[in-house]
């Protein structure tokens, strides 16, 4: 065998594991997409956000001010488009309405997600101004698009598309006693134009295929935020993160959020998830009164908790 042949074989030998790791990482994230975005068709939820500026002392983090607590009712419908694994899209419509505190009551957000490469749309209704503000895409939100004054941005809440990132398996680890894969997500050039983040390192639960922790880096490479799942529950066959923390490392602000009630695969009228619900109070309340029954009565076993960790 000549020298050139030996060099070629060596190069192929070295390249094969790298390609395999990249493919394995993508296959893992396809399963995450299935578990996170395609495992239920609709939901009614009540969530509580608690946000404060924090300080660190004695190795512990504590609020340096009285937390701002916001309670939200959330309703959504999703539809999976046909496609090969990793190429399926999720069309979604979601409406979130503040019910507490009184000063912010009836502030509402509406988000629509589209197939293909069209960016999601996001609208905010401010009752004090009786005005709807449209954010053209979640990438336009960055700092200003924080949901209800929390450290969760519109981009954080948006649905990630598998093809918008390249993936690298960094290794294996544990988080909160759960075995995880550590995977680096790098946005494609087209996605980077619509994202605040230049890189994400995600810790994926090996059994349940959900992200238990994420380190979020801005475009300059600085770690900007850290997301941590604190509680995971099973509803039927669906695993959901029901308590989580978003830590803004730059601003030293933190948001704890939790689902105080959840019902999945419920009957949500798509017309309700429209701009009419932002401004037509009577129309919105008439529908919400119907959907609250799912939260108070359960959903025929679909929301029954079978496991928790």
């Amino acid at each position: 065998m000549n020298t050139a042949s030996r060099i070629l074989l060596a190069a192929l030998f070295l390249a094969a594991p790298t390609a395999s790791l990249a493919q394995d990482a993508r296959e893992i994230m396809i399963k995450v997409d299935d578990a996170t975005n395609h495992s239920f068709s609709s939901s009614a939820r009540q969530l509580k956000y608690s946000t404060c500026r924090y300080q660190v002392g004695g190795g512990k983090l504590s609020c340096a001010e009285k937390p701002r607590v916001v309670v939200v009712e959330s309703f959504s419908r999703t539809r999976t488009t046909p496609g090969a694994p990793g190429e399926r899209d999720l069309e979604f419509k979601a409406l979130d309405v503040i019910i507490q505190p009184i000063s912010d009551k009836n502030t509402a957000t509406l988000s629509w997600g589209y197939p293909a490469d069209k960016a999601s749309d996001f609208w905010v209704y401010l009752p004090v101004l009786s005005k709807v503000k449209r954010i053209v895409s979640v990438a336009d939100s960055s700092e200003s698009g924080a949901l209800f004054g929390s450290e969760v941005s519109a981009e954080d809440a948006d649905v990630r598309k598998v093809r918008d990132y390249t993936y690298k398996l960094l290794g294996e680890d544990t988080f909160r006693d759960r075995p995880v894969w550590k995977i680096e997500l790098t946005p494609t050039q087209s996605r980077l134009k619509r994202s605040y983040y230049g890189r994400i390192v995600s810790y994926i639960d090996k059994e349940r295929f959900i992200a238990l922790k994420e380190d979020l880096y801005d475009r300059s490479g600085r770690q900007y935020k850290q997301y941590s799942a604190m509680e995971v529950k099973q509803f039927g066959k669906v695993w959901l993160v029901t308590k989580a923390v978003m830590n803004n490392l730059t601003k030293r602000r933190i948001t704890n959020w939790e689902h105080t009630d959840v019902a999945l695969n419920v009957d949500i009228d798509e017309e309700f998830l429209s701009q009419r619900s932002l401004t037509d109070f009577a129309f919105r309340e008439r529908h919400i009164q119907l959907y609250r029954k799912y939260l108070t009565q359960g959903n025929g076993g679909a929301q029954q908790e079978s496991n928790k960790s």
Side-chain angles (χ1 to χ4, degrees), residues 8-49:
L8 177 59
L9 285 174
L12 291 173
F13 177 78
L14 292 173
T18 302
S20 177
L21 287 175
Q23 183 62 30
D24 288 348
R26 187 174 187 274
E27 289 173 355
I28 290 168
M29 295 309 295
I30 288 173
K31 292 181 179 179
V32 172
D33 179 54
D34 287 341
T36 304
N37 299 323
H38 304 286
S39 56
F40 58 93
S41 61
S42 61
S43 69
R45 318 184 192 199
Q46 187 175 102
L47 302 98
K48 182 170 72 173
Y49 296 85

Side-chain angles (χ1 to χ4, degrees), residues 201-219:
V201 176
S202 189
Y203 295 71
I204 304 301
D205 187 304
K206 287 187 174 184
E207 178 188 357
R208 300 173 293 193
F209 290 98
I210 55 177
L212 298 181
K213 176 185 173 183
E214 289 192 331
D215 297 324
L216 302 132
Y217 297 83
D218 64 20
R219 295 182 183 184

Side-chain angles (χ1 to χ4, degrees), residues 48 79 92 106 113 192 241 252 309:
K48 182 170 72 173
R79 182 182 299 110
F92 71 86
N106 294 322
L192 189 59
V241 175
R252 296 175 72 87
S309 68

Side-chain angles (χ1 to χ4, degrees), residues 187-202:
T188 61
Q189 286 301 311
S190 60
R191 175 60 189 169
L192 189 59
K193 296 175 182 178
R194 299 182 282 112
S195 176
Y196 193 79
Y197 303 121
R199 182 169 73 101
I200 301 169
V201 176
S202 189

